[in-house]
Amino acid sequence: MASSPVCTRPLALILISHLQRVAMASLTAKSLVARPGVRPFTSRRTCVAPMAALSQDELKQQAAWKAVDYVKSGMVVGLGTGSTAAFAVDRIGQLMKEGTLKDIVGVPTSIRTYEQAKSLGIPLATLDEQPKIDVAIDGADEVDPKLDVVKGRGGALLREKMVEMASAKFVCIVDDTKLVEGLGGSKLAMPVEIVQFCHKYTLNRLAALPEVAGCQAKLRMEGDKPYVTDNSNYIVDLYFETPIQDSQAASKAILALDGVVDHGLFLDMVDVCIIAGSNGVEVKERQ
């Protein structure tokens, strides 16, 4: 007796469905494999309800407010510089005014942040007075998968690095436009702070370093004059067409040059990175 065609179609559908589930499971497993060379970190995401697309400033504020959760009463807090960090400073000032946070001492990373924090009534100190900082909150210009970052396009990189190196925990806050596969990958500036003396000589030596081969070195200008940092130094901005091959090697080579004060590569420094995107806020913690 011929087999009935009625049972053939459902069986085929069952087989197709099973194969689809197997394929999806395989893809999921592959996506969970850690990328080579990436230091381990944990990640968790705080989802937000569907809403109209958020502006970049709204995303920055989300990340900044989440970062302030790490601040507790009685702490010494490093106050970063830049548009994202400014939201965190505002939030700390607001919570102090409400009485939610008490006995906070802020250590600002620039004259600009000093003036903002002072206007909000946040008690301030320097590293001379508070050499040990509980937590620092600051933005970044680029963040790679290892949580290494580029900072300093706002010109405050030296003071930022000093304060964040003195902190028990460095919380970095960004929106998802700052994510790159490798530092220098945004093709925007990686700053190097240099002394004013013979700055052209130092610029040319920076551009000639094999560790940053292919970069363009440009003196940062403010109008028709060189930009001057809070420390009375100049900045040379390095621009890369492709990501830096070896950030550690580039860091050492740049710092070895006479006339260089510091650079915007912040390597192995970030403890927590808070990333705000259209799907919510993601928190990555270095282990």
Side-chain angles (χ1 to χ4, degrees):
M1 177 174 161
S3 57
S4 171
V6 176
C7 297
T8 305
R9 182 173 176 79
L11 179 59
L13 289 174
I14 290 168
L15 288 171
I16 291 170
S17 177
H18 174 72
L19 290 171
Q20 287 174 333
R21 285 197 299 270
V22 170
M24 288 301 295
S26 175
L27 287 171
T28 302
K30 288 179 182 178
S31 70
L32 293 174
V33 176
R35 280 171 285 185
V38 177
R39 289 182 61 182
F41 57 81
T42 58
S43 177
R44 60 182 183 274
R45 185 184 297 276
T46 303
C47 293
V48 295
M51 60 182 75
L54 297 177
S55 69
Q56 191 174 20
D57 277 347
E58 288 170 325
L59 292 175
K60 290 178 179 181
Q61 185 185 61
Q62 279 192 352
W65 282 35
K66 181 69 175 176
V68 176
D69 289 346
Y70 287 86
V71 178
K72 309 300 178 187
S73 293
M75 281 187 168
V76 179
V77 183
L79 304 176
T81 296
S83 57
T84 310
F87 285 115
V89 177
D90 280 341
R91 180 63 170 167
I92 290 169
Q94 176 190 344
L95 293 176
M96 289 185 69
K97 186 176 181 180
E98 294 171 356
T100 305
L101 286 177
K102 299 177 181 179
D103 302 320
I104 296 294
V105 176
V107 180
T109 54
S110 65
I111 294 172
R112 189 188 341 160
T113 301
Y114 168 86
E115 291 172 346
Q116 179 194 6
K118 187 177 179 181
S119 73
L120 294 168
I122 301 173
L124 298 173
T126 67
L127 283 174
D128 287 338
E129 299 150 338
Q130 296 286 350
K132 294 183 179 180
I133 297 173
D134 296 297
V135 61
I137 299 174
D138 206 353
D141 301 307
E142 294 180 1
V143 181
D144 77 3
K146 297 183 291 185
L147 303 188
D148 287 336
V149 303
V150 167
K151 291 180 48 56
R153 289 180 190 153
L157 61 114
L158 176 60
R159 297 190 187 191
E160 287 172 334
K161 189 172 284 188
M162 290 177 68
V163 168
E164 285 143 24
M165 286 292 289
S167 302
K169 186 182 290 290
F170 174 22
V171 181
C172 181
I173 47 177
V174 296
D175 65 87
D176 57 6
T177 65
K178 307 297 185 182
L179 303 180
V180 295
E181 284 303 311
L183 299 183
S186 69
K187 299 186 179 181
L188 300 176
M190 196 289 282
V192 180
E193 189 161 343
I194 66 170
V195 299
Q196 294 191 29
F197 176 72
C198 294
H199 64 275
K200 292 181 181 178
Y201 168 77
T202 306
L203 183 152
N204 290 333
R205 292 187 74 201
L206 280 167
L209 286 174
E211 291 82 0
V212 294
C215 77
Q216 282 191 315
K218 297 181 180 180
L219 183 67
R220 185 178 297 187
M221 303 296 290
E222 192 168 45
D224 59 354
K225 296 181 179 179
Y227 173 87
V228 179
T229 70
D230 288 347
N231 315 300
S232 299
N233 294 317
Y234 287 167
I235 287 182
V236 172
D237 288 319
L238 304 183
Y239 295 87
F240 297 87
E241 282 300 313
T242 57
I244 300 169
Q245 291 295 312
D246 186 336
S247 297
Q248 292 286 352
S251 170
K252 292 176 182 176
I254 292 168
L255 290 175
L257 291 182
D258 297 327
V260 168
V261 179
D262 214 325
H263 55 64
L265 295 171
F266 285 51
L267 309 178
D268 299 316
M269 288 181 58
V270 173
D271 298 295
V272 179
C273 189
I274 299 176
I275 306 159
S278 57
N279 294 324
V281 176
E282 185 177 8
V283 179
K284 292 185 176 182
E285 298 181 353
R286 193 189 298 271
Q287 294 180 326

